[in-house]
């Protein structure tokens, strides 16, 4: 089985996670795929294959080094590779009809031509397509996402382990792999057993286009704002009604217009209004708060609370309640003291002919939370582009390069202490 067939098999499973679920994993269908993966890892000869009740799958490719092959007395570090198998709630992941566009020529790709509203992926709208001219692209039919986020990462990890298994001349230490649910709803690392995983460091294969390497991410918090109104017949409302919907609009207007996702890039943080639900009597607003800089992040949280306080000063104590909860922090804080983890990847990419694209993540990965749980865990490209929607695609050649990078990291790590 090659990496293309492996990935296409994975896309047949609907593994969409659900934000409004209290179960772990958030959807039972994720476990169906986890069981499939477990059997595949066992069939491919990995050791210590374990799937826990929450859907976390762990396995080991045992070291192929003998005592005489160690140059020094220090053991080779045990490293890990991690990917999540859930897909985003933002777009359907059911009945995915993936197809291959061979030797992409730079023109428009008709994803679905069976409807009057033909669905086309054009380089005019998605210029990143032009970086993959001449390559073989896996695309959707325009009705679902593809699932390269992050089934491409899983396929690459499994393929790399199989390649190492079949090439004993390439020396490596113990390599751990793990696949988890619910990353897309921010819960992927919550039940990850770092001690059980037993690695000095690891990498999530959850990045985007080829060459991406990320070890900086947003500090992240959620904010839930509850507004109490007073409902009175509008014909007799003067001096009595408190319209919670109008107060929600007023509060939203207190936040800077130029500090939203659509107005920021790079290291710029933002406030993002996810949704408003309400009527005259009550309203609820849901925000996320993001910033790479920890001090600015704390300032943003304080400002959100201050907005609620100002509303209460004007409309009465208890009118507005603001609950802010931290979600994850910038992994750079934990990676900086151990930059050898990054140096290995840069070396591996160079050896594999991949130009590194080191950039901050305008989001988060499981690796951010894992880094703060004691497992330094930067993020490496998996090759997918346009995640979470019907215009998602992945280059087969990019996936193959990701496999090469994984293999080279394992090879270089074998000489890390030698």
């Amino acid at each position: 089985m090659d990496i293309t067939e492996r990935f296409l098999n994975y896309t047949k499973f609907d593994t969409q996670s659900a934000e409004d679920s209290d179960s772990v994993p958030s959807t039972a269908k994720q476990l169906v795929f986890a069981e499939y993966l477990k059997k595949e890892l066992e069939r491919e000869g990995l050791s210590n294959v374990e799937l826990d009740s929450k859907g976390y799958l762990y396995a080991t490719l045992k070291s192929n080094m003998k005592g005489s092959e160690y140059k020094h007395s220090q053991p080779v570090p045990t490293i890990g590779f991690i990917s999540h198998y859930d897909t985003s709630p933002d777009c359907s992941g059911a009945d995915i009809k993936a197809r291959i566009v061979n030797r992409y020529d730079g023109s428009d790709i008709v994803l679905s031509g069976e409807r009057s509203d033909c669905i086309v992926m054009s380089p005019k709208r998605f210029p990143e397509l032009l970086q993959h001219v001449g390559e073989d692209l896996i695309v959707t039919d325009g009705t679902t996402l593809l699932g390269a986020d992050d089934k491409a990462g899983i396929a690459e990890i499994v393929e790399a382990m199989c390649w190492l298994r079949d090439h004993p001349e390439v020396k490596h230490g113990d390599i751990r792999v793990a696949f988890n649910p619910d990353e897309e709803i921010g819960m992927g690392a919550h039940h990850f057993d770092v001690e059980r995983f037993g690695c000095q460091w690891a990498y999530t294969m959850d990045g985007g286009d080829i060459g991406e390497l990320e070890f900086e991410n947003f500090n992240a918090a959620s904010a839930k704002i509850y507004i109490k109104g007073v409902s009175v017949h509008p014909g007799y409302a003067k001096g009595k009604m408190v319209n919670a919907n109008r107060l929600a609009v007023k509060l939203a207007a207190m936040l800077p217009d130029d500090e939203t996702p659509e107005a920021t890039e790079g290291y710029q943080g933002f406030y993002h209004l996810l949704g408003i639900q309400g009527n005259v009597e009550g309203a609820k607003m849901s925000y996320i708060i993001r910033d790479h800089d920890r001090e600015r992040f704390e300032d943003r949280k304080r400002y959100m609370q201050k907005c609620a306080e100002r509303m209460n000063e004007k409309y009465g104590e208890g009118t507005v309640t603001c609950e802010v909860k931290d979600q994850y922090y910038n992994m750079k804080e934990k990676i900086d003291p151990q930059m050898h983890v990054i140096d290995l990847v840069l070396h591996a990419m160079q050896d594999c002919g991949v130009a590194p694209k080191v950039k901050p993540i305008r989001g988060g990965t499981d690796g951010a939370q894992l880094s703060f749980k004691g497992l330094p865990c930067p993020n490496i490209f998996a090759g997918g582009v346009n995640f979470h929607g019907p215009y998602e695609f992945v280059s087969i050649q990019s996936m193959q390069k990701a496999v090469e990078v994984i293999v080279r990291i394992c090879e270089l790590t074998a000489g890390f202490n030698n």
Side-chain angles (χ1 to χ4, degrees), residues 338-402:
Q338 303 192 60
M339 282 301 289
H340 62 272
V341 174
I342 301 300
D343 293 339
L344 279 168
V345 183
L346 294 173
H347 190 167
M349 285 187 180
Q350 182 180 18
D351 290 349
C352 296
V354 174
K357 303 172 185 174
V358 180
K359 65 175 188 177
I361 309 171
R362 285 184 60 79
T365 70
D366 286 333
Q369 295 181 53
L370 292 172
S371 293
F372 280 87
K373 292 177 75 171
L375 180 66
C377 197
N379 193 39
I380 299 175
F381 73 93
V385 183
N386 297 337
F387 292 152
H388 297 189
Y391 300 100
E392 183 181 4
F393 71 89
V394 66
S395 159
I396 293 174
Q397 285 78 8
S398 293
M399 288 197 294
Q400 291 168 338
K401 278 296 181 183

Side-chain angles (χ1 to χ4, degrees), residues 191-245:
H191 301 281
F192 193 105
D193 193 333
V194 169
E195 184 176 352
R196 182 181 193 176
F197 197 44
C199 294
Q200 278 90 326
W201 68 84
Y203 302 96
T204 49
M205 299 298 299
D206 192 19
D209 213 345
I210 186 168
E212 288 188 7
L213 171 60
E214 301 155 326
F215 58 95
E216 298 181 65
N217 60 275
F218 277 138
N219 295 290
S222 65
K224 304 293 184 185
I225 299 171
Y226 303 92
I227 302 173
K228 293 180 181 179
V230 177
S231 182
V232 179
H233 188 289
Y236 310 95
K238 186 174 181 180
K240 301 173 186 177
M241 178 185 285
V242 178
N243 189 331
N245 287 323

Side-chain angles (χ1 to χ4, degrees), residues 15-128:
T15 56
Q16 191 178 48
S17 48
E19 291 180 292
D20 57 354
S21 172
D22 293 326
S23 64
V24 182
S26 62
T27 54
K29 57 191 175 183
Q30 292 183 72
L31 285 175
V32 176
F33 183 53
E35 290 284 359
Y36 173 87
L37 274 179
K38 179 177 183 290
K39 292 176 182 176
E40 181 175 22
L41 295 178
E42 291 171 338
R43 186 171 62 250
E44 297 291 9
L46 273 72
S47 305
N48 310 119
V49 182
E50 303 172 288
L51 176 63
D52 69 20
S53 61
K54 298 184 184 298
Y56 289 73
L57 178 60
Y58 308 92
T60 305
L61 182 68
K62 290 287 190 182
S63 171
N64 64 358
M65 298 180 70
K66 299 177 182 179
S68 60
E69 293 169 320
Y70 291 92
K71 297 178 182 177
H72 302 292
S73 59
Q74 297 94 333
V76 170
T78 298
I79 63 170
F81 294 90
I82 303 166
S83 289
H84 66 90
Y85 53 76
D86 67 313
T87 60
S88 171
D90 294 345
C91 185
S92 174
D95 194 25
I96 293 171
K97 295 180 176 64
R99 68 181 178 90
I100 300 173
V101 177
N102 292 303
R103 296 181 181 271
Y104 173 60
D105 61 6
S107 63
D108 289 356
I109 299 174
V110 178
L111 300 177
S112 175
E114 299 175 0
R115 307 178 180 184
S116 58
D117 55 337
C118 187
I119 300 172
V120 176
M121 180 162 56
S122 171
K124 293 178 182 177
R125 184 176 182 185
F126 302 103
E128 54 271 23

